[in-house]
Amino acid sequence: MTEECGEIVFWTLRKKFVASSDEMPEHSSQVMYYSLAIGHHVGVIDCLNVAFRCPLADNATSVWQARSIQFIHLLDEIVQEPAIYLMARKIA
């Protein structure tokens, strides 16, 4: 069985914005912020950015060491700012 090479793509979510042109009353905005805090999306658009890509075909140790350092930096950013999310997906 041949294993597909591909890559793992890491995205970061550092900001969100509300898709609304209407002015929101203060008490409503507090409900929206609470919803965001507990993970529910109420008309919120996520802004994902590619942090880095890991081609799975690379076998060089130095390449994997560099990727490990990038990954550790991303995790450190999450420690410093818990509102940053990291998502990874294998792309065939």
Side-chain angles (χ1 to χ4, degrees):
M1 184 168 165
T2 305
E3 185 173 325
E4 293 181 27
C5 288
E7 66 180 354
I8 298 175
V9 181
F10 289 86
W11 289 273
T12 57
L13 174 59
R14 297 171 183 270
K15 61 184 173 180
K16 299 177 181 209
F17 67 91
V18 178
S20 174
S21 59
D22 300 331
E23 195 63 33
M24 187 178 301
E26 179 61 30
H27 66 279
S28 297
S29 66
Q30 293 304 316
V31 171
M32 182 198 62
Y33 293 136
Y34 175 74
S35 297
L36 289 174
I38 60 173
H40 295 205
H41 297 270
V42 188
V44 175
I45 297 173
D46 294 339
C47 303
L48 293 169
N49 296 311
V50 174
F52 69 99
R53 298 173 179 270
C54 291
L56 297 174
D58 289 337
N59 291 324
T61 302
S62 61
V63 173
W64 282 101
Q65 286 176 338
R67 289 184 187 135
S68 297
I69 291 169
Q70 284 179 300
F71 187 66
I72 289 168
H73 285 301
L74 288 172
L75 293 177
D76 186 53
E77 289 179 18
I78 292 171
V79 169
Q80 301 302 318
E81 175 55 62
I84 297 174
Y85 295 92
L86 181 63
M87 181 175 77
R89 180 174 181 197
K90 181 181 176 187
I91 309 291

